[in-house]
Amino acid sequence: RKEVEQDPGPFNVPEGATVAFNCTYSNSASQSFFWYRQDCRKEPKLLMSVYSSGNEDGRFTAQLNRASQYISLLIRDSKLSDSATYLCVVNRGGNNRKLIWGLGTSLAVNP
Amino acid sequence: DAGVTQSPTHLIKTRGQQVTLRCSPKSGHDTVSWYQQALGQGPQFIFQYYEEEERQRGNFPDRFSGHQFPNYSSELNVNALLLGDSALYLCASANGQGAAPSSYEQYFGPGTRLTVT
Protein backbone atom coordinates (compact mmCIF):
# COMPACT_ATOMS: atom_id res chain seq x y z
CA ARG A 1 0.00 0.00 0.00
CA LYS A 2 1.30 3.45 -0.89
CA GLU A 3 1.92 5.86 1.97
CA VAL A 4 -0.34 8.49 0.42
CA GLU A 5 -3.04 7.61 -2.09
CA GLN A 6 -5.25 9.81 -4.20
CA ASP A 7 -7.73 9.17 -6.96
CA PRO A 8 -5.87 10.48 -10.04
CA GLY A 9 -9.09 11.52 -11.77
CA PRO A 10 -9.50 13.39 -14.00
CA PHE A 11 -12.49 15.11 -12.48
CA ASN A 12 -14.42 17.06 -15.10
CA VAL A 13 -16.97 19.43 -13.58
CA PRO A 14 -18.98 22.43 -14.83
CA GLU A 15 -18.40 25.92 -13.50
CA GLY A 16 -20.22 26.45 -10.22
CA ALA A 17 -20.12 22.81 -9.21
CA THR A 18 -18.91 21.49 -5.89
CA VAL A 19 -16.17 18.88 -6.07
CA ALA A 20 -14.44 16.86 -3.38
CA PHE A 21 -11.15 14.97 -3.38
CA ASN A 22 -10.11 12.36 -0.88
CA CYS A 23 -6.64 11.29 0.17
CA THR A 24 -5.70 8.37 2.42
CA TYR A 25 -2.46 7.97 4.33
CA SER A 26 -0.96 4.89 5.94
CA ASN A 27 1.19 6.24 8.78
CA SER A 28 -0.86 6.87 11.91
CA ALA A 29 2.03 8.95 13.33
CA SER A 30 1.58 11.63 10.68
CA GLN A 31 0.77 15.02 12.18
CA SER A 32 0.91 17.55 9.38
CA PHE A 33 -1.21 17.51 6.26
CA PHE A 34 -1.26 19.77 3.26
CA TRP A 35 -3.01 20.34 -0.02
CA TYR A 36 -0.92 21.79 -2.81
CA ARG A 37 -2.11 22.98 -6.19
CA GLN A 38 0.04 22.50 -9.27
CA ASP A 39 -0.63 23.99 -12.70
CA CYS A 40 0.78 22.32 -15.78
CA ARG A 41 4.58 22.61 -15.91
CA LYS A 42 4.64 24.91 -12.89
CA GLU A 43 5.77 24.45 -9.31
CA PRO A 44 3.38 23.24 -6.57
CA LYS A 45 1.82 26.02 -4.53
CA LEU A 46 0.62 25.54 -0.97
CA LEU A 47 -3.17 25.74 -0.96
CA MET A 48 -4.07 24.72 2.58
CA SER A 49 -2.48 23.32 5.72
CA VAL A 50 -4.56 21.02 7.91
CA TYR A 51 -3.43 20.72 11.51
CA SER A 52 -6.58 19.98 13.44
CA SER A 53 -9.86 18.51 12.26
CA GLY A 54 -10.27 20.95 9.42
CA ASN A 55 -9.59 24.28 7.82
CA GLU A 56 -11.65 26.60 5.64
CA ASP A 57 -10.46 29.33 3.31
CA GLY A 58 -13.11 30.92 1.16
CA ARG A 59 -14.43 28.35 -1.30
CA PHE A 60 -11.98 25.71 -0.08
CA THR A 61 -12.50 23.41 2.90
CA ALA A 62 -10.09 20.73 4.06
CA GLN A 63 -11.06 18.11 6.60
CA LEU A 64 -9.00 15.57 8.49
CA ASN A 65 -10.26 12.26 9.81
CA ARG A 66 -7.51 10.75 11.95
CA ALA A 67 -9.49 7.64 12.86
CA SER A 68 -9.92 6.69 9.21
CA GLN A 69 -6.62 8.27 8.15
CA TYR A 70 -7.89 10.42 5.34
CA ILE A 71 -8.06 14.07 4.44
CA SER A 72 -10.43 15.68 2.00
CA LEU A 73 -10.54 18.87 -0.02
CA LEU A 74 -13.86 20.42 -0.95
CA ILE A 75 -14.08 23.13 -3.58
CA ARG A 76 -17.37 25.02 -3.78
CA ASP A 77 -18.57 27.16 -6.69
CA SER A 78 -15.80 25.92 -8.99
CA LYS A 79 -14.10 28.45 -11.25
CA LEU A 80 -12.35 27.84 -14.54
CA SER A 81 -9.15 28.94 -12.81
CA ASP A 82 -9.46 26.05 -10.35
CA SER A 83 -8.41 23.66 -13.13
CA ALA A 84 -5.13 22.14 -11.92
CA THR A 85 -3.68 19.08 -10.21
CA TYR A 86 -4.25 18.90 -6.46
CA LEU A 87 -1.56 17.14 -4.46
CA CYS A 88 -2.08 15.66 -1.03
CA VAL A 89 1.02 15.83 1.20
CA VAL A 90 1.60 14.20 4.57
CA ASN A 91 4.56 14.29 6.92
CA ARG A 92 5.94 10.94 7.95
CA GLY A 93 5.62 11.70 11.63
CA GLY A 94 7.85 11.76 14.67
CA ASN A 95 11.23 13.38 14.07
CA ASN A 96 11.16 12.47 10.38
CA ARG A 97 10.76 15.70 8.45
CA LYS A 98 10.24 14.01 5.11
CA LEU A 99 7.01 14.89 3.36
CA ILE A 100 5.24 12.17 1.43
CA TRP A 101 3.45 13.29 -1.72
CA GLY A 102 0.48 11.77 -3.44
CA LEU A 103 0.46 11.55 -7.23
CA GLY A 104 -2.20 14.22 -7.45
CA THR A 105 -5.81 14.51 -8.59
CA SER A 106 -6.48 16.27 -11.86
CA LEU A 107 -9.40 18.71 -11.98
CA ALA A 108 -10.81 20.30 -15.13
CA VAL A 109 -13.54 22.90 -14.66
CA ASN A 110 -15.50 23.40 -17.86
CA PRO A 111 -17.52 26.45 -19.01
CA ASP B 1 9.53 39.49 0.43
CA ALA B 2 11.60 37.41 -1.98
CA GLY B 3 10.27 33.96 -2.71
CA VAL B 4 12.28 30.88 -3.57
CA THR B 5 14.47 31.37 -6.62
CA GLN B 6 16.18 28.75 -8.75
CA SER B 7 18.68 28.85 -11.56
CA PRO B 8 18.90 28.08 -14.34
CA THR B 9 15.31 27.71 -15.53
CA HIS B 10 16.18 25.31 -18.32
CA LEU B 11 19.21 23.16 -19.00
CA ILE B 12 20.16 20.67 -21.69
CA LYS B 13 22.96 18.22 -20.96
CA THR B 14 24.41 15.10 -22.55
CA ARG B 15 24.56 11.67 -20.95
CA GLY B 16 27.57 11.30 -18.68
CA GLN B 17 27.90 14.99 -17.98
CA GLN B 18 27.55 16.66 -14.61
CA VAL B 19 25.12 19.41 -13.66
CA THR B 20 24.76 21.88 -10.77
CA LEU B 21 21.43 23.48 -9.93
CA ARG B 22 21.07 26.39 -7.53
CA CYS B 23 18.42 27.53 -5.09
CA SER B 24 17.93 30.52 -2.82
CA PRO B 25 15.30 30.00 -0.14
CA LYS B 26 12.47 32.31 0.78
CA SER B 27 13.52 35.15 3.05
CA GLY B 28 13.58 33.94 6.66
CA HIS B 29 13.75 30.25 5.75
CA ASP B 30 16.67 28.04 6.72
CA THR B 31 15.72 24.59 5.45
CA VAL B 32 15.97 23.56 1.82
CA SER B 33 14.58 20.41 0.21
CA TRP B 34 15.15 19.19 -3.32
CA TYR B 35 12.65 17.20 -5.38
CA GLN B 36 12.62 15.55 -8.77
CA GLN B 37 9.35 15.56 -10.69
CA ALA B 38 8.89 13.59 -13.87
CA LEU B 39 5.96 14.36 -16.18
CA GLY B 40 2.70 13.08 -14.76
CA GLN B 41 4.22 12.16 -11.41
CA GLY B 42 4.24 13.76 -7.98
CA PRO B 43 7.46 15.27 -6.65
CA GLN B 44 10.00 12.70 -5.45
CA PHE B 45 12.05 13.75 -2.43
CA ILE B 46 15.80 13.81 -3.03
CA PHE B 47 17.18 15.29 0.19
CA GLN B 48 16.84 18.08 2.72
CA TYR B 49 19.48 20.45 4.09
CA TYR B 50 19.54 22.31 7.36
CA GLU B 51 22.48 23.99 9.06
CA GLU B 52 24.64 23.06 6.08
CA GLU B 53 24.08 19.34 6.65
CA GLU B 54 22.03 16.75 4.81
CA ARG B 55 19.28 15.81 7.29
CA GLN B 56 17.04 13.51 5.29
CA ARG B 57 17.52 11.61 2.05
CA GLY B 58 15.15 9.90 -0.32
CA ASN B 59 15.83 6.88 -2.53
CA PHE B 60 18.29 8.49 -4.89
CA PRO B 61 21.76 7.19 -5.77
CA ASP B 62 24.98 8.83 -4.65
CA ARG B 63 25.21 10.51 -8.05
CA PHE B 64 22.89 13.05 -6.48
CA SER B 65 24.65 15.23 -3.96
CA GLY B 66 24.08 18.62 -2.48
CA HIS B 67 25.36 21.43 -0.41
CA GLN B 68 23.98 24.22 1.72
CA PHE B 69 25.84 27.45 2.27
CA PRO B 70 25.93 29.67 5.37
CA ASN B 71 23.41 32.02 3.72
CA TYR B 72 21.01 29.02 3.47
CA SER B 73 21.21 28.81 -0.32
CA SER B 74 21.75 25.36 -1.73
CA GLU B 75 23.09 23.46 -4.71
CA LEU B 76 22.07 20.13 -6.19
CA ASN B 77 24.76 18.26 -8.11
CA VAL B 78 24.08 15.32 -10.37
CA ASN B 79 27.01 13.35 -11.79
CA ALA B 80 27.12 10.90 -14.69
CA LEU B 81 23.78 12.03 -16.05
CA LEU B 82 21.39 9.43 -17.40
CA LEU B 83 18.50 9.92 -19.80
CA GLY B 84 16.18 9.09 -16.91
CA ASP B 85 17.41 12.12 -14.98
CA SER B 86 15.42 14.35 -17.32
CA ALA B 87 12.82 16.01 -15.11
CA LEU B 88 11.75 19.18 -13.36
CA TYR B 89 13.95 19.75 -10.32
CA LEU B 90 12.20 21.65 -7.58
CA CYS B 91 13.66 23.37 -4.58
CA ALA B 92 11.46 24.06 -1.57
CA SER B 93 12.24 26.04 1.55
CA ALA B 94 10.80 25.94 5.05
CA ASN B 95 11.32 27.75 8.31
CA GLY B 96 12.93 25.77 11.09
CA GLN B 97 13.14 22.19 12.22
CA GLY B 98 10.97 22.49 15.33
CA ALA B 99 7.88 20.59 16.29
CA ALA B 100 5.48 23.30 15.12
CA PRO B 101 3.39 21.94 12.25
CA SER B 102 3.96 25.15 10.33
CA SER B 103 7.66 24.30 10.11
CA TYR B 104 6.67 21.55 7.69
CA GLU B 105 5.11 24.01 5.24
CA GLN B 106 7.28 24.10 2.14
CA TYR B 107 7.35 26.82 -0.49
CA PHE B 108 8.61 26.00 -3.93
CA GLY B 109 10.71 27.76 -6.48
CA PRO B 110 9.78 27.69 -10.19
CA GLY B 111 12.06 24.72 -10.81
CA THR B 112 14.83 23.88 -13.24
CA ARG B 113 13.81 21.80 -16.23
CA LEU B 114 16.68 19.45 -17.06
CA THR B 115 16.79 17.60 -20.34
CA VAL B 116 19.43 14.90 -20.81
CA THR B 117 20.07 13.84 -24.40
Side-chain angles (χ1 to χ4, degrees):
Chain A
R1 181 186 173 189
K2 289 182 180 175
E3 289 187 82
V4 176
E5 292 197 78
Q6 298 181 248
D7 180 346
F11 285 64
N12 286 284
V13 302
E15 270 186 292
T18 295
V19 61
F21 309 134
N22 284 331
C23 167
T24 58
Y25 61 96
S26 61
N27 190 339
S28 60
S30 297
Q31 294 292 326
S32 299
F33 310 89
F34 308 95
W35 283 102
Y36 279 77
R37 171 205 167 115
Q38 187 171 27
D39 294 286
C40 187
R41 301 179 76 83
K42 298 283 191 181
E43 74 274 22
K45 292 188 187 295
L46 180 62
L47 180 64
M48 296 186 78
S49 304
V50 188
Y51 301 127
S52 56
S53 60
N55 193 14
E56 184 172 326
D57 183 5
R59 298 183 294 110
F60 298 83
T61 300
Q63 290 193 315
L64 168 64
N65 184 319
R66 290 187 189 272
S68 301
Q69 292 182 204
Y70 79 81
I71 60 174
S72 63
L73 178 68
L74 183 77
I75 305 176
R76 290 180 296 276
D77 188 23
S78 299
K79 312 290 185 193
L80 295 176
S81 58
D82 293 334
S83 298
T85 296
Y86 291 83
L87 296 151
C88 171
V89 186
V90 177
N91 86 308
R92 193 164 263 173
N95 293 324
N96 192 321
R97 302 197 63 81
K98 184 177 176 180
L99 296 181
I100 309 301
W101 292 70
L103 294 181
T105 298
S106 176
L107 171 65
V109 180
N110 305 306
Chain B
D1 181 16
V4 181
T5 60
Q6 292 186 245
S7 63
T9 54
H10 294 85
L11 204 51
I12 299 175
K13 289 286 191 177
T14 305
R15 270 183 306 176
Q17 285 188 314
Q18 179 264 343
V19 68
T20 297
L21 310 181
R22 295 177 176 83
C23 170
S24 289
K26 184 177 164 69
S27 179
H29 285 186
D30 55 11
T31 299
V32 173
S33 300
W34 286 92
Y35 293 85
Q36 179 195 69
Q37 187 175 27
L39 271 177
Q41 302 293 316
Q44 297 295 308
F45 176 75
I46 302 175
F47 41 53
Q48 184 180 87
Y49 276 84
Y50 173 69
E51 291 186 334
E52 302 178 50
E53 289 186 14
E54 184 183 291
R55 299 290 178 157
Q56 299 273 341
R57 190 177 181 93
N59 296 324
F60 279 80
D62 292 344
R63 298 187 297 111
F64 289 77
S65 64
H67 190 77
Q68 186 179 34
F69 299 94
N71 67 353
Y72 309 121
S73 67
S74 178
E75 289 182 349
L76 164 65
N77 301 292
V78 187
N79 294 323
L81 285 167
L82 304 173
L83 295 179
D85 294 332
S86 296
L88 179 67
Y89 287 84
L90 295 160
C91 168
S93 72
N95 183 13
Q97 296 270 307
S102 60
S103 70
Y104 289 88
E105 291 180 358
Q106 295 189 358
Y107 296 85
F108 285 81
T112 294
R113 191 162 297 281
L114 173 64
T115 302
V116 182
T117 63

